[in-house]
Amino acid sequence: VQLQASGGGLVQAGGSLRLSCDGSGLSFSSAAMGWFRQAPGKEREFVGRIKWIGGNTWYADSVKGRFTIARDNAKNTVYLQMNSLKAGDTAVYYCAADTPPFAILSNYHNPRAYDYWGQGTQVTVSS
């Protein structure tokens, strides 16, 4: 299984970016996909999650209303649309897959609940 995150870059505060996560060796329809981020010197932080069947989403309070996770079934791709970016959003962003048995709701934020990880893509927001 390989996950590939892409779409990072440098953007000014208030701007937008869309990250993509492509998978091979894993059908996303059998997984729940998460996005995490890690800033220098900080622990990996939950950003959001999407349940492939039904498309239910969950977000960290810090990004709620600004970030949106979506999926493209045909392309086996999950997206993270980031709007109104802030300097505090600067981090390496990772996509991750949770496969059955799925994590329970209270564990969605836990990186250890995810089985597969992409390599990360850098997002830098300048203020």
Side-chain angles (χ1 to χ4, degrees), residues 10-14 85-88 90 124-127:
L10 174 64
V11 63
Q12 289 189 332
L85 283 161
K86 307 174 182 179
T90 295
T124 303
V125 184
S126 63
S127 55

Side-chain angles (χ1 to χ4, degrees), residues 8-17 37 66-67 82-93 122-127:
L10 174 64
V11 63
Q12 289 189 332
S16 299
L17 277 176
R37 65 187 182 186
R66 300 188 298 123
F67 291 11
M82 305 185 294
N83 298 328
S84 303
L85 283 161
K86 307 174 182 179
D89 296 318
T90 295
V92 177
Y93 283 72
Q122 176 71 48
V123 172
T124 303
V125 184
S126 63
S127 55

Side-chain angles (χ1 to χ4, degrees), residues 7-117:
L10 174 64
V11 63
Q12 289 189 332
S16 299
L17 277 176
R18 188 178 79 159
L19 306 184
S20 301
C21 177
D22 300 302
S24 61
L26 173 71
S27 172
F28 285 2
S29 63
S30 64
M33 300 301 297
W35 284 97
F36 287 77
R37 65 187 182 186
Q38 189 165 18
K42 294 189 176 181
E43 292 187 352
R44 194 162 294 190
E45 175 190 25
F46 175 75
V47 173
R49 174 184 173 108
I50 186 166
K51 179 182 175 184
W52 206 259
I53 305 299
N56 302 70
T57 52
W58 294 263
Y59 299 96
D61 288 342
S62 59
V63 306
K64 203 172 292 183
R66 300 188 298 123
F67 291 11
T68 303
I69 299 175
R71 75 211 192 281
D72 186 321
N73 293 349
K75 295 183 177 180
N76 209 44
T77 298
V78 63
Y79 302 100
L80 179 65
Q81 177 67 44
M82 305 185 294
N83 298 328
S84 303
L85 283 161
K86 307 174 182 179
D89 296 318
T90 295
V92 177
Y93 283 72
Y94 299 88
C95 61
D98 177 18
T99 57
F102 294 118
I104 58 175
L105 177 60
S106 61
N107 221 23
Y108 284 179
H109 68 285
N110 186 349
R112 287 178 288 200
Y114 296 77
D115 304 298
Y116 303 101
W117 289 84

